[in-house]
Amino acid sequence: MDRESEDVLDAVGPRLRALRRERGITLADLAAVTGVSESTLSRLESGRRRATLELLLPLARMYDVPLDDLVGAPRTGDPRIHLKPVRRFGMVFVPLSRRPGGTQAFKMIIPARPRPLEPTPQTHEGFEWLYVLDGRLRLLLGERDLTLSPGEAAEFDTSLPHWLGSADGGAVELLIVFGPQGTRAHLRTSPGEPPSPHG
């Protein structure tokens, strides 16, 4: 085994211990959920047991992290991210986050149209934050009909009837962060800095 691989494996134990403590989980709890014995987990964290795929897979599932992140393996190959656009409701969604579940981020593109689409408000569980990059966005939210320009943001509970479209028939580009019910986006500012008028 080369030195680089040895260094990667040596770092797994401390990383696992830090992750477990950060989540507030005991070895006994972890053993009960993963089916890996408490003594094996303890030896793995202390570096007295080598990490194997058989041991790491249930831990990656438990912590909900990619296996590469759990191991801390160096990134190799092409550093570019190849995003796969999804077309739905006549719009293009480019996923910007890769973790399943939890908060999701998308770039959304509403194509230009000679005639604007007829609004079809929808409702679903969750909370949405959006930021207009380009174009003029029409946001229907409950009884409100809003127009947002580039640089403006909005956040709302998606259990309210809502619809997004172009305000003037031109293309619109925006960023969307969607989270489970009860999860809201938090914008942090420097102490003494006034809040953004669009936040």
Side-chain angles (χ1 to χ4, degrees):
M1 184 182 295
D2 61 43
R3 184 67 245 170
E4 188 178 3
S5 298
E6 292 243 2
D7 290 344
V8 167
L9 288 175
D10 287 345
V12 170
R15 187 175 289 106
L16 289 172
R17 182 186 293 114
L19 191 56
R20 178 176 59 79
R21 289 178 176 171
E22 179 186 303
R23 304 285 175 97
I25 301 170
T26 66
L27 282 171
D29 292 339
L30 193 57
V33 173
T34 62
V36 179
S37 76
E38 196 173 333
S39 63
T40 298
L41 291 169
S42 177
R43 291 199 313 275
L44 188 60
E45 287 187 2
S46 66
R48 291 176 291 148
R49 172 78 185 256
R50 279 286 185 206
T52 64
L53 197 56
E54 185 182 9
L55 292 173
L56 293 178
L57 282 174
L59 293 172
R61 281 194 294 270
M62 166 66 188
Y63 293 131
D64 191 25
V65 296
L67 195 57
D68 283 353
D69 290 357
L70 197 62
V71 176
R75 301 282 180 191
T76 58
D78 190 343
R80 294 172 297 179
I81 299 171
H82 301 282
L83 303 170
K84 294 184 180 175
V86 176
R87 296 179 189 281
R88 293 178 64 198
F89 315 116
M91 295 176 269
V92 179
F93 296 85
V94 182
L96 302 176
S97 53
R98 295 185 293 175
R99 281 181 61 176
T103 302
Q104 301 291 313
F106 301 90
K107 179 177 180 182
M108 178 176 164
I109 302 164
I110 302 171
R113 294 180 177 277
R115 284 183 306 201
L117 289 173
E118 188 65 30
T120 53
Q122 306 288 324
T123 62
H124 52 89
E125 289 294 311
F127 203 87
E128 194 166 298
W129 180 90
L130 59 84
Y131 178 86
V132 181
L133 297 168
D134 193 34
R136 297 179 72 239
L137 176 73
R138 183 181 180 197
L139 169 62
L140 296 183
L141 184 60
E143 300 297 318
R144 302 184 72 182
D145 191 340
L146 307 167
T147 299
L148 283 76
S149 298
E152 290 191 296
E155 63 177 352
F156 54 91
D157 185 328
T158 56
S159 64
L160 285 172
H162 60 281
W163 178 84
L164 307 175
S166 173
D168 55 15
V172 184
E173 293 185 22
L174 57 149
L175 294 177
I176 292 180
V177 177
F178 174 77
Q181 195 66 35
T183 301
R184 298 184 63 167
H186 297 283
L187 301 178
R188 296 188 184 275
T189 59
S190 301
E193 181 181 327
S196 163
H198 304 304

